[in-house]
Amino acid sequence: MKKPFFGVTLLFCVMLLSAQETEGLKSNKIQSIAFGSCSKEELVDKQLWNEVNSESPDLWIWLGDNIYGDSEDTTVLRSKYDKQKSHPGYQQLIKKSEIIGIWDDHDYGANDAGKEFPMKDASRDLMFEFMDLEKKHPAWERKGGYQAHAYDFDGKRVKVLLLDARYFRDPLKKNKEDKNIPNYEGEILGDEQWIWLSQELSDDKTDLFILGSGIQVLAKDHRFEKWANFPNERNRLFSLIREKVNVPLIFISGDRHISELSTYQIEDHDFPVYDITSSSLTHGWSDRRPETNEYRIGDLVYEENFALLTIDWKGKKPKLRLKYITAKNEILQEFDLPF
């Protein structure tokens, strides 16, 4: 005899009701968004906070490896977060910009770790404390680190959905060449996060969706961590976007210690999607090797950098301009993102 699924149904109904008002909604001007990833807390002199501050972003988004914790000891993780947060330049940013973010693996606690990591609950709380996430935010009441932050300004709304690609993620295996073997049956987000994401993407008051992910969503040719290691999950994400979203949407990602812009046209979707990868804030590739990415626009960025996205809300659709910026505010690449 099958067990009744009343509990799952009840959970779905409760979440559906709570999602009628989007979580994390604020009345903030959001016209410039800076973001980055992979920041070694001990490399104090290499941090780019002076450059970030000189751009005066309305919003800063962390995209993972926000510290290099790599420990099951929460005391170690906390001390590294404290060191990162105490940087004078970062303290200045806290005072002038809103800060949100999501983790990747090293700040989660272990390289390439997923749902098997034993200290994931305690690590999640430390991340939220580092971000100064308000205690009233719904993310505190559920498992995992995923969050929604929406900003209304002069009748325009940008919604940032930060996806947790660690807490619920199934394991990966590697072949003899140390390349990840695709896991067709495995999951990245888990059932509850998928329900939440579907509801948040159903918001017909949003004019621009930004989905943050520690790992890249579009690129699939390299051998490292990426959504393409879970092909069915990646396809499910594209199908959900096609079903729910009829406004511009971009992904932002980190992890790679290089930066690049990728674009992809989801079948039967009105707009192209972009994946803006920004990495690393403190230590990029030293050998500058080439890497194939069939979706890339422009060139690989090897230098330490952060990304700056500016939004022009004057037309019917938002106009986006992307800059990759390095030390002394040198612009490495610049793009307009047409929709």
Side-chain angles (χ1 to χ4, degrees):
M1 178 178 176
K2 292 184 178 180
K3 294 181 180 180
F5 52 93
F6 174 76
V8 176
T9 304
L10 178 60
L11 172 65
F12 180 84
C13 293
V14 170
M15 295 183 71
L16 183 61
L17 288 171
S18 64
Q20 290 177 1
E21 293 186 7
T22 189
E23 73 179 45
L25 180 61
K26 297 180 180 180
S27 296
N28 286 23
K29 180 183 78 171
I30 298 294
Q31 292 181 295
S32 63
I33 303 172
F35 51 92
S37 64
C38 304
S39 179
K40 279 192 174 180
E41 66 285 343
E42 70 266 22
L43 298 179
V44 176
D45 295 335
K46 296 201 71 175
Q47 305 282 0
L48 295 173
W49 300 124
N50 289 337
E51 287 80 1
V52 174
N53 282 314
S54 69
E55 300 293 341
S56 299
D58 300 314
L59 178 66
W60 168 264
I61 305 176
W62 286 103
L63 288 170
D65 297 338
N66 309 320
I67 57 168
Y68 279 73
D70 296 301
S71 176
E72 295 182 12
D73 186 340
T74 56
T75 303
V76 172
L77 295 177
R78 185 182 295 278
S79 67
K80 292 190 175 188
Y81 273 128
D82 288 345
K83 185 174 184 62
Q84 186 73 281
K85 199 169 189 175
S86 67
H87 190 289
Y90 186 65
Q91 280 293 309
Q92 183 181 352
L93 183 67
I94 290 174
K95 294 176 182 178
K96 63 194 298 187
S97 303
E98 175 154 3
I99 294 176
I100 60 175
I102 192 64
W103 56 18
D104 194 32
D105 53 345
H106 294 287
D107 42 352
Y108 183 56
N111 185 47
D112 292 356
K115 67 181 184 182
E116 75 285 351
F117 184 64
M119 299 303 295
K120 60 185 180 180
D121 291 307
S123 178
R124 195 289 304 266
D125 290 354
L126 289 174
M127 176 183 67
F128 281 179
E129 291 171 6
F130 172 70
M131 302 294 174
D132 294 315
L133 184 68
E134 295 178 321
K135 287 292 185 179
K136 65 181 181 181
H137 195 286
W140 280 101
E141 303 301 320
R142 58 190 178 224
K143 297 291 186 180
Y146 57 96
Q147 314 144 50
H149 301 271
Y151 307 93
D152 278 353
F153 174 64
D154 285 350
K156 301 293 185 180
R157 177 179 294 181
V158 56
K159 178 180 283 191
V160 182
L161 302 177
L162 299 175
L163 306 180
D164 185 343
R166 291 292 159 195
Y167 190 98
F168 307 96
R169 200 211 72 179
D170 284 322
L172 283 168
K173 295 181 180 179
K174 295 189 177 185
N175 61 20
K176 294 180 179 179
E177 289 75 39
D178 199 35
K179 184 176 181 179
N180 287 306
I181 300 172
N183 185 342
Y184 285 89
E185 302 303 320
E187 291 190 305
I188 295 177
L189 299 188
D191 291 342
E192 291 183 16
Q193 189 172 184
W194 275 116
I195 293 171
W196 167 86
L197 179 59
S198 177
Q199 293 164 354
E200 290 293 346
L201 290 177
S202 300
D203 178 7
D204 59 6
K205 296 180 180 179
T206 291
D207 300 281
L208 172 66
F209 285 100
I210 299 175
L211 273 61
S213 167
I215 56 174
Q216 288 182 306
V217 178
L218 295 187
K220 62 179 185 179
D221 298 316
H222 63 79
R223 66 182 177 87
F224 305 102
E225 290 200 286
K226 54 189 180 291
W227 272 73
N229 291 334
F230 296 83
N232 291 342
E233 287 282 273
R234 186 172 181 267
N235 291 337
R236 182 177 180 179
L237 180 61
F238 293 163
S239 295
L240 186 62
I241 291 169
R242 181 172 55 243
E243 176 189 351
K244 298 290 185 179
V245 179
N246 59 1
V247 296
L249 179 148
I250 62 173
F251 302 109
I252 55 176
S253 57
D255 178 53
R256 296 298 322 287
H257 298 267
I258 47 91
S259 293
E260 61 182 347
L261 172 65
S262 305
T263 187
Y264 178 73
Q265 182 64 56
I266 297 174
E267 185 179 358
D268 297 326
H269 185 57
D270 292 339
F271 302 98
V273 295
Y274 298 91
D275 191 348
I276 305 171
T277 302
S278 181
S279 175
S280 160
L281 286 164
T282 58
H283 54 301
W285 286 359
S286 57
D287 58 357
R288 303 198 172 203
R289 64 186 183 272
E291 181 177 272
T292 300
N293 175 4
E294 63 180 294
Y295 306 119
R296 184 187 301 131
I297 303 172
D299 301 316
L300 281 174
V301 173
Y302 299 97
E303 295 90 344
E304 291 77 23
N305 71 92
F306 66 96
L308 182 70
L309 188 69
T310 55
I311 309 171
D312 181 348
W313 291 107
K314 294 176 183 177
K316 293 183 178 179
K317 295 180 292 186
K319 294 181 180 179
L320 306 183
R321 175 168 286 255
L322 167 67
K323 297 178 183 179
Y324 286 117
I325 300 174
T326 189
K328 299 181 179 179
N329 291 91
E330 177 187 355
I331 299 173
L332 300 172
Q333 288 198 69
E334 189 169 3
F335 304 91
D336 289 316
L337 308 185
F339 289 105

